[in-house]
Amino acid sequence: MTELLIRAATADDLDTVLAFWKVAAEGTSISDDRDGVERLVARDPEALILAERDGELVGTVIAGFDGWRCHLYRLAVHPERRRLGIGSALLAAAEERFVRLGGRRGDAMVLQRNETAQHAWRAAGYAPEEHWRRWVKPLGD
C-alpha cells in the first residue's frame, strides 16, 4: 500500500469532497453544499484537511480554529478504508494545526447515534462532556 498523503483542500477539491461525504460521512448539514465548503476554504485555507492514497480521496476532517476554540467536524473515512490509521493521521494533522495556532483544547461534533464514531473518538483520547448541550438555530433559508 502506498503512503498516505495529508494535505489542505483547494477549491479544485470541493466537488470531490462533497461527493465523498455522501459516501463516507454520517448525517448531513445545511453547510454541505458547494457554497458552504467554498466559504470555509476561502476563509481558512488550511481548515479542510484531506487524506489521499494513490490519488484517491480516502478521508477528511475540518479543523476549524476561531482564535478561541478548536473545533473538529466531518472526520470521515471511506467505509472500505476504515481501521487503517487514516482517521488517526487526519486527527494528528488537525491537532498539530491547532497547537501551531495556539489552541489548547479540541472539541468534536459527534452524532449521539453514531456508535462507531464514538468508539473512534474515544480511542483518539476524546471524551464526551455530558454537562454541555449544543444549541443551534438555522440562519436564513
Side-chain angles (χ1 to χ4, degrees), residues 96-138:
E96 288 169 15
R97 169 179 155 74
F98 291 152
V99 169
R100 191 173 64 250
L101 293 171
R104 296 184 279 176
R105 178 181 65 182
D107 66 57
M109 299 287 296
V110 184
L111 288 172
Q112 288 183 341
R113 70 175 188 263
N114 190 340
E115 291 183 25
T116 301
Q118 290 179 35
H119 291 294
W121 285 103
R122 276 191 180 88
Y126 290 78
E129 281 195 336
E130 302 298 339
H131 58 277
W132 291 99
R133 171 84 44 189
R134 181 172 178 236
W135 293 45
V136 298
K137 175 184 176 183

Side-chain angles (χ1 to χ4, degrees), residues 14-15 18 30-42:
L14 303 187
D15 291 328
L18 288 165
I30 61 172
S31 301
D32 288 355
D33 60 21
R34 173 86 188 191
D35 289 340
V37 181
E38 204 167 61
R39 274 190 303 277
L40 169 69
V41 172

